[in-house]
Amino acid sequence: MKISVAGIITIALICNVSISQAREMGHYAPGVVSIRDLAVPPVPGFFYAQYNAYFSADRYIDGDGNKRLNFESEGGEVKLDTDVDVLAIAPVFLWSTEKKILGANYAFYVAPNIGKSSVSAQLSVLDQGGSGDNDAIGIGDTFVQPIWLGWQGERYDIALGAGAYLPSGKYDAEDGDSIGLGFWTGQLQTSAYWYLDEARAAALEFAVTYEFHGEQEDTDVTPGDHVSVEYGYSQYLSQRVEVGISGYSQWQVEKDKRPTITDLGLDPNAKGEVHAFGVEAAYWFTPQFNVSLRYIKEYEGRARLQGDWVALNFIWTPVPVF
């Protein structure tokens, strides 16, 4: 069995689960895209993908790795009642060109997204008296990647991309219905695949993503840089059926730059991290249309919300894959 399109798209989803003065989680959501979607398409044409991701968290893990139920403020002890549900829909418009740069295939893409943030975390001190809008919905921040290079061999795929998140989504530091994150992010990403057989039916994946952020609007906070590591194993059982396992780790590699906080914040100087693992199943309904379902569980974290991902992803290719 020859899989002619090893990977299609990579996209980062906007998940506005951060609260004013709380931990910033960055823009990139590792583990949402399907296992083989970080390789540049080897054939020219227009590709379309749609990532539909749901994130649910009911716990905040502090800087020591413990679930926090409350915290102290100037007014006394405040109960930390966190229940976060986020839905993100990200259409991806990708063009793979016939152009070669340094021997690599050249592609680029644009990825707007629509988000629904049902945030009912009553963090009155951290949110400076604001309240969340459980039904907030709108356009989130847009990701643009003008540089995506892919080198292909018989048994490998290597990719390198550079892009940026534009703060196009609604953001209000004093309101709880923000969809965007209120800051720019630059992103560098590299991925590598090693195919264990000539038909490329079995693949090992490894990817690294680095984010560097601008200052958040109206808060004077600049989130610290983030690095994400993703890994996985994909196996085609037939021309149409694929299964796999994958995981990720994400670390905040430097502290947020922020003004002096007069009220006691929740881990204001801690660096967040999270680790997760999950499963995936995919099916080609036609030789050009693929659907994949992913479940990822975050099993450990520090200084951030921790929860589960469910992603239902669609991909359409301009050429049949079998």
Side-chain angles (χ1 to χ4, degrees):
M1 177 185 60
K2 179 65 174 178
I3 306 300
S4 60
V5 179
I8 309 298
I9 303 289
T10 175
I11 177 59
L13 299 176
I14 307 302
C15 299
N16 184 31
V17 294
S18 57
I19 307 298
S20 176
Q21 296 295 338
R23 305 304 318 146
E24 293 296 348
M25 295 171 63
H27 275 101
Y28 184 65
V32 171
V33 302
S34 302
I35 295 173
R36 298 202 186 202
D37 287 5
L38 298 178
V40 176
V43 296
F46 168 76
F47 294 77
Y48 176 78
Q50 183 172 309
Y51 292 92
N52 310 280
Y54 174 75
F55 177 75
S56 177
D58 62 358
R59 55 199 180 277
Y60 179 88
I61 308 301
D62 66 17
D64 296 321
N66 302 313
K67 181 178 178 179
R68 288 287 294 271
L69 301 177
N70 52 57
F71 61 94
E72 296 291 333
S73 73
E74 292 184 350
E77 186 176 83
V78 176
K79 183 179 180 181
L80 187 62
D81 182 14
T82 304
D83 184 10
V84 174
D85 300 288
V86 175
L87 174 65
I89 301 172
V92 182
F93 305 95
L94 179 144
W95 292 264
S96 181
T97 74
E98 297 181 354
K99 187 176 181 62
K100 295 281 188 177
I101 299 178
L102 300 176
N105 295 328
Y106 170 65
F108 61 93
Y109 64 89
V110 177
N113 78 82
I114 300 171
K116 181 181 186 300
S117 179
S118 176
V119 182
S120 56
Q122 304 303 316
L123 309 179
S124 59
V125 172
L126 300 183
D127 203 20
Q128 298 181 355
S131 61
D133 184 347
N134 293 339
D135 297 315
I137 187 170
I139 301 299
D141 296 343
T142 299
F143 184 64
V144 178
Q145 182 154 291
I147 300 174
W148 199 21
L149 304 178
W151 293 265
Q152 283 94 23
E154 291 185 1
R155 290 291 188 94
Y156 69 86
D157 274 295
I158 298 174
L160 178 64
Y165 297 86
L166 314 181
S168 55
K170 177 186 176 183
Y171 175 77
D172 188 337
E174 298 182 356
D175 202 345
D177 63 353
S178 296
I179 302 298
L181 298 186
F183 55 84
W184 294 74
T185 292
Q187 178 176 295
L188 300 174
Q189 184 177 72
T190 184
S191 65
Y193 291 86
W194 176 252
Y195 303 102
L196 306 183
D197 56 275
E198 293 182 358
R200 295 191 169 199
L204 294 173
E205 171 220 12
F206 184 78
V208 178
T209 304
Y210 192 89
E211 299 173 83
F212 47 95
H213 312 292
E215 183 178 301
Q216 190 173 49
E217 181 182 353
D218 297 330
T219 66
D220 296 325
V221 173
T222 300
D225 294 358
H226 288 78
V227 63
S228 303
V229 174
E230 297 170 80
Y231 53 91
Y233 173 75
S234 161
Q235 176 69 58
Y236 270 88
L237 304 179
S238 70
Q239 286 184 323
R240 294 180 182 269
V241 179
E242 177 195 9
V243 295
I245 56 175
S246 63
Y248 65 81
S249 293
Q250 185 181 68
W251 297 270
Q252 184 178 352
V253 295
E254 64 178 7
K255 296 178 181 179
D256 296 343
K257 298 177 183 177
R258 59 177 67 243
T260 302
I261 301 175
T262 54
D263 291 328
L264 180 61
L266 189 62
D267 298 326
N269 295 313
K271 293 187 290 186
E273 68 176 81
V274 68
H275 308 277
F277 195 79
V279 296
E280 173 186 322
Y283 184 77
W284 289 91
F285 282 88
T286 75
Q288 293 177 261
F289 180 68
N290 177 270
V291 177
S292 67
L293 179 65
R294 292 173 58 77
Y295 171 73
I296 304 290
K297 182 174 185 59
E298 295 181 338
Y299 60 84
E300 184 179 354
R302 290 179 184 272
R304 57 166 286 163
L305 292 160
Q306 182 179 314
D308 301 331
W309 284 99
V310 177
L312 181 65
N313 303 333
F314 308 122
I315 289 176
W316 181 87
T317 74
V319 296
V321 301
F322 57 84

